[in-house]
Amino acid sequence: MIRVVEAKFVTSCTSKENLISEGISEVAFLGRSNVGKSSFINALTNHKNLAKSSSTPGKTRLINFFDIVYKKDDEKYSARFVDLPGFGYAKVSKSMQAEWAKNLNYFIKNRASIRVFVHLIDARHPYQEIDENVREYLKTIQRGDQKILEIFTKCDKLNQKEMSKLRRDFKDALFVSNLKKRGIDKANEEIFKSLFE
């Protein structure tokens, strides 16, 4: 059984000028505002309030870093989770959005420590153009030592027929429910394997 046994908030950064130094393998979480990113990180780490979700979708423009420790058998493995700002409908000016995009783009492309990209998608809206764009973008910048995991959240909101279609259309994806804690162990396993095996 692979699980997170320690997790702590390290720092928040606003721009490429004040980024935390590299040196530990990182897992970067991306997703539209309101996809359940904070809840997913909390579920993975088994900490209720580790990642704070904003009441206003798209409001969080910080890159948040969390140091975590996985345990497998009796060995411990250190890694870092990086919670990236949600993209989508932030109620801010165009220039502000452009600034975020620039910082985010710089971080994603130039951060050597990122070993895994976790692209979170709302299972109720699986075919959004914005997610297709992220999918294509990640493929264009993906290095040989990086893995992309697609994970659909809020799967408890779908009926069986919708769920079957989703599994058919996205064969390599993982499916989770933060609320019902479904698929969380499997997600942790895949993240761990991508980092350490």
Side-chain angles (χ1 to χ4, degrees), residues 12-197:
S12 295
C13 303
T14 47
S15 70
K16 57 180 186 275
E17 280 72 41
N18 62 7
L19 282 175
I20 185 173
S21 61
E22 304 194 47
I24 183 168
S25 291
E26 293 177 338
V27 182
F29 294 84
L30 315 92
R32 279 194 320 125
S33 303
N34 210 20
V35 75
K37 201 151 37 73
S38 302
S39 307
F40 181 59
I41 291 171
N42 292 340
L44 286 176
T45 57
N46 211 12
H47 276 59
K48 244 195 181 85
N49 296 310
L50 184 71
K52 306 273 192 290
S53 52
S54 164
S55 52
T56 314
K59 195 89 162 71
T60 315
R61 31 183 186 275
L62 301 170
I63 297 174
N64 297 308
F65 294 86
F66 305 93
D67 277 357
I68 61 136
V69 176
Y70 273 109
K71 191 174 184 186
K72 184 190 178 187
D73 304 325
D74 280 331
E75 289 221 38
K76 288 185 172 180
Y77 303 79
S78 296
R80 184 171 282 153
F81 283 0
V82 186
D83 183 9
L84 297 173
F87 46 83
Y89 47 77
K91 291 187 171 68
V92 293
S93 68
K94 286 272 190 286
S95 60
M96 180 70 106
Q97 284 197 8
E99 188 59 31
W100 293 358
K102 202 169 75 188
N103 281 325
L104 209 53
N105 194 24
Y106 176 88
F107 179 82
I108 289 169
K109 279 170 101 158
N110 297 292
R111 189 86 176 162
S113 307
I114 298 177
R115 300 292 309 286
V116 186
F117 288 108
V118 174
H119 177 199
L120 296 172
I121 304 163
D122 189 327
R124 299 167 304 174
H125 313 289
Y127 309 104
Q128 298 255 359
E129 187 185 352
I130 195 163
D131 284 313
E132 188 50 49
N133 292 343
V134 170
R135 190 177 283 123
E136 292 311 311
Y137 171 69
L138 288 177
K139 280 181 195 161
T140 62
I141 60 152
Q142 183 184 14
R143 300 188 311 259
D145 65 341
Q146 289 177 325
K147 176 128 177 145
I148 300 167
L149 293 177
E150 265 191 3
I151 301 182
F152 285 87
T153 61
K154 309 191 183 190
C155 289
D156 53 293
K157 307 275 195 263
L158 302 187
N159 62 35
Q160 225 165 349
K161 192 178 165 195
E162 292 165 329
M163 201 60 224
S164 301
K165 179 170 166 41
L166 201 60
R167 285 183 193 281
R168 264 200 320 274
D169 290 353
F170 301 94
K171 287 186 175 61
D172 298 326
L174 297 174
F175 306 91
V176 303
S177 161
N178 300 329
L179 200 64
K180 303 265 171 78
K181 297 276 187 283
R182 281 206 301 259
I184 300 298
D185 289 344
K186 175 83 178 131
N188 256 330
E189 207 175 293
E190 287 302 318
I191 290 170
F192 180 89
K193 280 199 314 212
S194 303
L195 285 172
F196 302 112
E197 290 180 0

